[in-house]
Amino acid sequence: MKVAVIGAGSTYTPELVEGLARERERLAIDDVVLHDIDAERRDVVGGLAKRMLDAAGYEGSLELTDDLARAVDGASYVLVQIRVGGQQARLGDETIPLACGCIGQETTGAGGFAKAFRTVPVVLEIADEVRQRAADDAWIVDFTNPVGIVTRALLDAGHRAVGLCNVAIGFQRSIARMLEVAPERILIDQVGLNHLTWIRRVLLDGDDVLPALLADHGDVLAEHVNIPRRVLDLLGVVPSYYLHYFYAHDEVLREQLDGVPRAAAVMEIERGLLELYRDPALTTKPALLEQRGGAFYSEAATGLITALTAGDGAVHVVDIRNGETVEGLAADDVIEVPARIERGGPEPLPQPAVAPELLGLMQHVAAYERLTAEAAVTGDLATARKALLTHPLIGQDALVESLLEPLLDRRDTPLHTHVEGAPA
């Protein structure tokens, strides 16, 4: 089996390589290709990856390349973890909206729109190469943010693709620690869109323990998602961290205006990581990587690949077409829900009707995602304006007019590079 990683210059790649090495017997991987067009990052990260695989006893081949066609040729899985324009582009996504009085965040709101607009065309170029050269039954697994919009664009174009985020597995692990049980006994039953989800059940060996969890650990959960405990109690669910941009909009905006952009902090962390990765004696991922975010990224990725290979019906939270799963959303919307992974792909678990206080926001953002995906593919500025006007964190004509040009007219941003990974 051949696995190709596109955007392998990412500082996350050692975590992914660790996961592939751990699962190499179940996955029978004999060819790993790490692709990136940034030669320095590719060589530094690839060097550590090779040392890690050697230390784990991996006997297959490892290739580093900037040749996309060569990377995906014959691949069974193509993992896409790119960041078009790198952290410098992210810094713009996080600061340009602030100047207009909007929240600056790389996947939510105006910043997420800008990221999608420049990212979707590049991902579709990669996917076209996969269609031509990869194995007939190859899967594209997308970690590239904004995952929901990117996955939608891939599916709209007819690609065999599934989106993946680490939020659900992060909840699974933290809740397992709270309950002092093995993570495998916990199933997170959430509903929503990527970065816009609510946990409605937590199944421990098949029994829902969410009410008891909220009663006994509500304060910890509220702190974890940065949303007041009273909101969790009112809704009877656990929102994802990204809901605090909606539920505490004004407070978040004030904090961002007074604070340091996350992109600036990440740039500093990455400089330190790359320096550590250059150490020829290093054969394990360094502790500093935990500060980069993306916890349990490798477990989510390798678990999904293993399940797709075996088709064993294991349940994973993924980004897929809605179909008839969530009443009130269109069939072609992309949702993030638990699904059984069969040989033919993910089959979403049934979802009961969604309460109006959740569904309303979900419908609102789903409409924005539809328009943004279309705008990113066509480049049509009228559709781009409609997308921004539709987003609940923007939604005013004056803001749209002040945002659109600075978000899209970024001549200093190398739009057609994919140099740095971006798991959710």
Side-chain angles (χ1 to χ4, degrees):
M1 183 193 303
K2 177 177 178 178
V3 176
V5 182
I6 311 302
S10 166
T11 52
Y12 283 114
T13 298
E15 171 132 355
L16 177 61
V17 166
E18 179 186 66
L20 293 175
R22 186 174 54 248
E23 298 290 340
R24 66 188 183 280
E25 292 184 4
R26 288 201 296 165
L27 286 175
I29 298 171
D30 47 27
D31 191 3
V32 176
V33 180
L34 303 182
H35 173 275
D36 205 288
I37 63 172
D38 185 312
E40 181 181 8
R41 291 183 69 120
R42 183 180 66 242
D43 291 345
V44 170
V45 176
L48 174 57
K50 183 180 187 307
R51 296 192 298 273
M52 292 175 70
L53 288 172
D54 288 345
Y58 170 70
E59 297 178 350
S61 67
L62 172 68
E63 181 179 358
L64 313 180
T65 184
D66 63 354
D67 185 335
L68 180 62
R70 183 181 179 89
V72 303
D73 186 46
S76 296
Y77 294 97
V78 178
L79 314 184
V80 183
Q81 54 168 40
I82 68 172
R83 183 183 296 280
V84 179
Q87 293 295 335
Q88 192 63 41
R90 174 180 178 170
L91 184 62
D93 295 343
E94 293 178 349
T95 54
I96 289 171
L98 292 178
C100 299
C102 292
I103 282 176
Q105 211 281 328
E106 65 160 340
T107 60
T108 298
F113 167 83
K115 190 173 196 294
F117 200 88
R118 67 175 178 273
T119 300
V120 164
V122 180
V123 173
L124 290 179
E125 289 177 5
I126 294 167
D128 285 342
E129 200 72 36
V130 173
R131 176 180 278 151
Q132 294 179 42
R133 300 180 182 277
D136 290 341
D137 59 351
W139 280 96
I140 297 173
V141 181
D142 178 67
F143 309 114
T144 300
N145 279 322
V147 168
I149 297 172
V150 172
T151 302
R152 180 184 187 109
L154 285 166
L155 295 174
D156 286 349
H159 295 289
R160 199 167 191 241
V162 59
L164 186 63
C165 179
N166 71 322
V167 168
I169 193 172
F171 271 121
Q172 181 204 44
R173 299 308 170 88
S174 60
I175 289 173
R177 287 194 299 270
M178 291 178 196
L179 300 180
E180 299 181 340
V181 299
E184 295 74 20
R185 296 175 60 189
I186 298 288
L187 190 153
I188 300 298
D189 191 2
Q190 66 175 48
V191 68
L193 315 176
N194 177 243
H195 289 185
L196 195 88
T197 54
W198 297 264
I199 298 173
R200 298 194 290 175
R201 293 192 305 167
V202 174
L203 301 180
L204 172 59
D205 299 331
D207 296 324
D208 184 14
V209 297
L210 181 58
L213 194 66
L214 285 170
D216 298 339
H217 302 278
D219 289 341
V220 175
L221 288 167
E223 183 178 2
H224 179 71
V225 297
N226 201 17
I227 294 172
R229 165 74 182 272
R230 61 181 175 273
V231 176
L232 277 65
D233 291 337
L234 175 67
L235 300 178
V237 299
V238 180
S240 81
Y241 168 87
Y242 292 89
L243 266 299
H244 90 292
Y245 294 111
F246 298 84
Y247 294 156
H249 174 277
D250 292 355
E251 179 183 348
V252 171
L253 181 58
R254 284 194 298 270
E255 291 173 352
Q256 288 189 342
L257 289 169
D258 293 337
V260 176
R262 172 65 177 163
V266 169
M267 288 179 192
E268 189 61 33
I269 293 170
E270 290 203 327
R271 279 191 285 270
L273 284 171
L274 290 170
E275 191 60 36
L276 290 172
Y277 291 0
R278 289 184 172 91
D279 181 357
L282 185 67
T283 59
T284 59
K285 64 178 184 181
L288 180 61
L289 185 56
E290 296 177 6
Q291 296 182 31
R292 177 65 183 83
F296 309 113
Y297 159 50
S298 69
E299 286 91 334
T302 55
L304 176 59
I305 293 172
T306 301
L308 284 168
T309 302
D312 56 8
V315 176
H316 292 263
V317 175
V318 290
D319 290 82
I320 53 176
R321 289 289 198 204
N322 176 47
E324 299 180 354
T325 306
V326 176
E327 185 178 352
L329 294 183
D332 63 344
D333 285 334
V334 169
I335 58 174
E336 189 171 289
V337 293
R340 295 196 184 281
I341 311 301
E342 309 290 353
R343 287 195 179 276
E347 293 292 336
L349 298 185
Q351 291 287 335
V354 178
E357 61 270 20
L358 312 184
L359 182 61
L361 184 53
M362 204 185 304
Q363 291 171 322
H364 205 160
V365 176
Y368 150 79
E369 292 192 346
R370 175 186 298 275
L371 290 164
T372 299
E374 180 184 344
V377 170
T378 64
D380 182 68
L381 294 184
T383 306
R385 284 184 169 87
K386 290 177 185 177
L388 290 172
L389 193 62
T390 301
H391 199 290
L393 297 183
I394 305 167
Q396 298 181 61
D397 173 67
L399 288 177
V400 172
E401 290 307 303
S402 62
L403 282 166
L404 190 64
E405 184 174 346
L407 285 176
L408 301 186
D409 188 18
R410 314 264 287 277
R411 292 186 175 89
D412 59 335
T413 298
L415 296 186
H416 291 282
T417 60
H418 30 93
V419 300
E420 201 276 319

